[in-house]
Amino acid sequence: MKDKLNNLRNKFLQELSEVKDINYLRSIELKYLSRKGELSEMLHELKDLGDDLRQEAGIMANRIKKELQEKFLEAEKLLNEDKVQATSSPDVTLPGEKSFHGHLNPITLVQNELEDLFTSLGFSVIDGPELESDYYNFTALNVPPSHPARDMQDTFYVDSKNKEGQFDLLMRTQTSSVQIRAMQKYGAPLKAVIPGRCFRNEATDARHEHTFYQVEGLVIDKDINFSNLKSFLEIVGQRLFGPNTKMRMRPKFFPFVEPGNNAEYTCFLCRGKGCRVCKYTGWLEIVGAGLVHPEVLRAGGIDPDVYSGLAFGFGLNRLAMLKYNINDVRLFNSNDLKFLEQF
Ligand code: FA5
């Protein structure tokens, strides 16, 4: 009897070690541990043994029964854990989930395009403060406190004193404010573009915002002249609006350049024929420019008898509006995802 019990135990353990799925496990349970299984039958046979043998075999049979039940439960538990793992590993055949990607704002796209163009022409890209002093934003640019040109660019004045104890801090109205800072820091020769945010106290409408972006260009060297300015501005227009874009320059007063001008480009939409976008002129006014005024060079610590310079300033919002056919400048600050997701 003892041999039979040991054989049954070994057979059971051997088969249990080969279990790979739940069906096989259930068949082992049925074969050995169920009410009509081999172990029950053997326990049933105990009654036919003599008293001495029955007691000894009974103890052994109960020990083996307990062991086999424990081993069975362990195997069942392992199989269930494997199943959980198998179901939680990814199904690589399922279609992928689309992840959300942010993207660049249209102003950043145009700014990057301009920065790429100007760095390829040997310009550096530099930065300046948005909270600026009255001196750098106006006075050093040849616009002293009493100058009527101050009326063209009202801004937001800041109610705190500068290091010298004066109330002269304001939100810059133009990236031209960085011209003097750049001259003082880097001296001549100098070739830089200055992208950045500007602020004006405006009655806002479809073309005017209180907060907008500009890109300033500044070149200082010996013998810089108007034809250098014209060629830079022509290159920019052709890069942004296509190789057949023409440019014309018309006089415009800016106190910090002499002579000053506006540059206009062939309308990108009607190609010069006249349409709603260009107000039926065929031309679009995009940039203010000119040769740097000698007083401004002096304020930047540069001798105007040795060096001359050119400067230009693009409105980035307006460039983006033209490039992407956007009809209201206020959309840029609206935080409207329906608008922003189009780019
Ligand atoms: C200037 O700001 C000069 N600093 C440009 C300049 C630089 C001239 C260097 C000469 C030499 P203006 O005020 O015209 O100029 O502004 C330049 C551009 O900024 C405009 O053509 C326009 O595109 C943009 N801009 C000005 N005000 C606003 C506004 N309120 N909202 C949106 N864009 C504006």
Side-chain angles (χ1 to χ4, degrees):
M1 189 63 178
K2 280 187 194 168
D3 288 345
K4 273 174 83 179
L5 278 168
N6 268 330
N7 283 344
L8 181 130
R9 174 184 176 272
N10 292 342
K11 243 174 38 171
F12 175 90
L13 292 177
Q14 173 63 35
E15 287 181 30
L16 201 65
S17 71
E18 290 162 8
V19 164
K20 296 246 167 6
D21 60 51
I22 196 76
N23 291 338
Y24 189 32
L25 188 74
R26 293 283 162 240
S27 72
I28 293 175
E29 185 181 28
L30 197 69
K31 184 172 167 193
Y32 294 99
L33 304 177
S34 65
R35 223 154 41 89
K36 292 198 171 163
E38 291 185 21
L39 187 61
S40 300
E41 270 181 22
M42 235 177 255
L43 290 171
H44 203 62
E45 286 172 22
L46 287 176
K47 70 175 185 344
D48 303 329
L49 297 174
D51 282 351
D52 288 352
L53 273 178
R54 191 171 60 232
Q55 202 186 6
E56 209 181 321
I59 290 170
M60 185 181 172
N62 276 324
R63 187 174 42 78
I64 287 179
K65 183 181 172 187
K66 195 167 169 246
E67 184 192 355
L68 298 193
Q69 281 173 336
E70 279 171 9
K71 295 277 184 214
F72 176 83
L73 288 175
E74 262 173 42
E76 190 179 39
K77 193 171 161 218
L78 273 177
L79 208 63
N80 282 337
E81 279 172 8
D82 281 357
K83 206 168 118 192
V84 170
Q85 270 182 15
T87 49
S88 62
S89 57
D91 180 352
V92 292
T93 61
L94 286 174
E97 268 178 39
K98 271 195 181 169
S99 56
F100 173 77
H101 285 284
H103 51 84
L104 296 177
N105 186 285
I107 292 183
T108 316
L109 292 171
V110 178
Q111 179 179 329
N112 288 350
E113 205 172 331
L114 279 180
E115 284 183 13
D116 281 352
L117 171 64
F118 280 110
T119 47
S120 76
L121 296 171
F123 283 69
S124 329
V125 179
I126 60 174
D127 205 1
E130 292 176 354
L131 178 60
E132 188 48 286
S133 70
D134 180 289
Y135 176 76
Y136 284 114
N137 195 76
F138 291 126
T139 308
L141 289 174
N142 219 12
V143 191
S146 55
H147 200 291
R150 286 214 175 195
D151 288 350
M152 290 154 58
Q153 299 187 8
D154 190 16
T155 184
F156 306 100
Y157 289 84
V158 176
D159 191 14
S160 55
K161 293 179 182 168
N162 65 10
K163 283 188 219 137
E164 286 77 43
Q166 297 153 338
F167 287 103
D168 87 330
L169 292 175
L170 48 83
M171 302 308 290
R172 70 174 175 201
T173 57
Q174 48 188 346
T175 43
S176 301
S177 60
V178 191
Q179 282 191 21
I180 307 287
R181 289 182 176 278
M183 289 182 217
Q184 289 175 339
K185 188 164 178 190
Y186 301 109
L190 178 63
K191 216 171 165 190
V193 281
I194 308 145
R197 201 156 53 148
C198 303
F199 309 83
R200 290 189 194 178
N201 183 10
E202 298 268 20
T204 57
D205 61 28
R207 290 167 62 83
H208 296 89
E209 249 297 21
H210 49 72
T211 305
F212 58 96
Y213 288 79
Q214 289 187 339
V215 171
E216 189 85 2
L218 180 65
V219 179
I220 300 197
D221 211 332
K222 291 178 177 156
D223 302 323
I224 292 294
N225 56 43
F226 218 80
S227 59
N228 299 132
L229 176 63
K230 183 167 177 269
S231 75
F232 278 130
L233 296 180
E234 266 170 358
I235 290 170
V236 175
Q238 285 168 8
R239 168 73 173 253
L240 287 176
F241 303 119
N244 297 326
T245 304
K246 292 200 169 53
M247 187 196 70
R248 72 177 185 183
M249 295 169 118
R250 303 214 293 174
K252 166 112 193 249
F253 174 71
F254 295 101
F256 34 92
V257 284
E258 179 58 43
N261 68 282
N262 265 331
E264 300 179 359
Y265 296 106
T266 328
C267 175
F268 70 97
L269 192 65
C270 64
R271 307 301 327 166
K273 292 192 185 78
C275 69
R276 186 182 52 84
V277 171
C278 60
K279 298 199 187 111
Y280 302 97
T281 61
W283 297 94
L284 287 169
E285 184 187 311
I286 310 272
V287 52
L291 295 183
V292 181
H293 197 289
E295 280 306 314
V296 174
L297 288 173
R298 249 181 233 117
I302 289 172
D303 185 349
D305 294 327
V306 181
Y307 289 101
S308 49
L310 62 87
F312 50 85
F314 290 92
L316 268 189
N317 298 58
R318 231 161 257 176
L319 279 182
M321 286 169 78
L322 295 175
K323 196 168 165 69
Y324 297 110
N325 212 355
I326 298 165
N327 61 8
D328 194 323
V329 69
R330 291 166 293 192
L331 284 167
F332 291 109
N333 292 339
S334 67
N335 271 347
D336 182 350
L337 282 180
K338 270 193 236 141
F339 165 68
L340 291 171
E341 278 170 354
Q342 297 174 55
F343 305 96

